[in-house]
Amino acid sequence: MKTIKEPARDIPVRAEADVLVVGGGPAGIMAAEAAAGDGLRVMLVESRGFLGGNLTIGLPILGFLGRKGNQIIEGSAQRFIDRLRARGAASEHRPCKNHMSLTIIDEEEVKRTALEIMEEKGVEVLLYTFFADAIRKGDAVKGVVVESKAGREAILAKTVIDCTGDGDVAFRAGVECRKGDAEGGMQPPTLMFCMKGVDVQRLRDAIVGHPDVYDMDVMPPEQFRTGKFITVGLRTQIRQAQAAGYRIPVARTILITGLADDEIWVNMTRVSGVDSTRPESYTYGEIEGRKQIYEIARYLREFVPGFADARIEKVAPFMGIRESRVIVGRYVLTAEDIIACRRFGDAIAVAGYPVDIHHAKGGDCTMHFCDDSYDIPYRCLLPERVAGLLVAGRCSSMNHEAMASTRVMSTCMALGEAAGRAARLALKAGVQPADLDVEALRAELRATGAYLG
């Protein structure tokens, strides 16, 4: 690649914060809310024109409940759901054999509620603001450089929380990061879309009444008789469609009931090889994903009961990225930890979603379950050898297989809350996040409603 020399210039300092959260998705919203208080100046920067991240793309929230049916994600995440539910914008946590639990949310109300919480907590939000670089002095992060219509500016901060999903701040700060499996293969992303005019009752009746025809992976027909549900299966229908010349990129039909009675969100586009840290790759994914939507909708109308008169109502504003960078932190969570239901003395969250790997090649998926739930240690939020930085969400310190479990939004919300509370408590104690008394953090998490087992 050719290079040019950019003249040296002074970058104006837009603001100086106590805590700066970069990324306003599930982890970032919780982190900013939890960091606010004690007179601290907390800022949140987000590249899009709204907050919510993957909470706004039509996905349900999975994993509020554990394998045994008990609730394992509580605290700020549950309070967020409570606010949505008060507006009729969220369902109950419905147990689900494959996904532990299913919580349907209204993506537009998420945006509204997130901004309300930031305003109530006094968090300063900057939208349409892109992270460009980390400001590092010695072994510590001292802030970030951002780009916007106002140009290139700096925001200085005593503590930065990376909730970008892609580990952007950590990567630019020199933290060791990894991507994908041993061959670099990453789970493919999905561009969600919503169909209206679906005869959901007819779909229910077909699945319940003819399980030999409309086969569901693992999930019993009774799962679909009442209430909200996810279908994972109908492999026979896909094979029939492919034999008829349809180009379907997945092996399973994944459909999610919406809040409206005739609404289904479709989780079936797959674009293998997409790397969300490379704009040309991400662009290809968005374009290809949009092409796939119309072929999948045609398949559903032709081969799946209840879709004959359905129409595409809306497409998610961006692709849902399952995997990109993760940091190498002071502890790297592994699939072995998850399957063994491992407990940690510095646990700051409990999770129970299975190791759910959408294969980097092909259109299938592999799931491995623990018998109960597992802990996530505080050390997973702490980069090695870089101070002043916490990393929360799917870019925290997990290996490829473990991240296939921790990537779901309920877990990311819990990790974000822990990071925000850790940042505030560390500043209050006058120490770096890595030197915080973890028992003080755990005590505050419990006192504010978080579940730690």
Side-chain angles (χ1 to χ4, degrees), residues 80-96:
F80 191 87
I81 297 300
D82 290 341
R83 290 179 69 135
L84 292 177
R85 194 171 291 160
R87 289 174 166 159
S91 71
E92 75 285 354
H93 306 311
R94 188 179 185 204
C96 177

Side-chain angles (χ1 to χ4, degrees), residues 345-361:
D346 62 337
I348 44 75
V350 175
Y353 191 73
V355 176
D356 177 9
I357 300 178
H358 293 248
H359 298 169
K361 298 177 182 178

Side-chain angles (χ1 to χ4, degrees), residues 29-30 33 79-80 83 112-123:
I29 295 168
M30 298 296 109
E33 178 186 4
R79 288 189 287 275
F80 191 87
R83 290 179 69 135
R112 173 189 179 190
T113 300
L115 287 171
E116 284 179 349
I117 292 171
M118 296 303 102
E119 185 174 18
E120 291 165 8
K121 294 293 184 179
V123 176

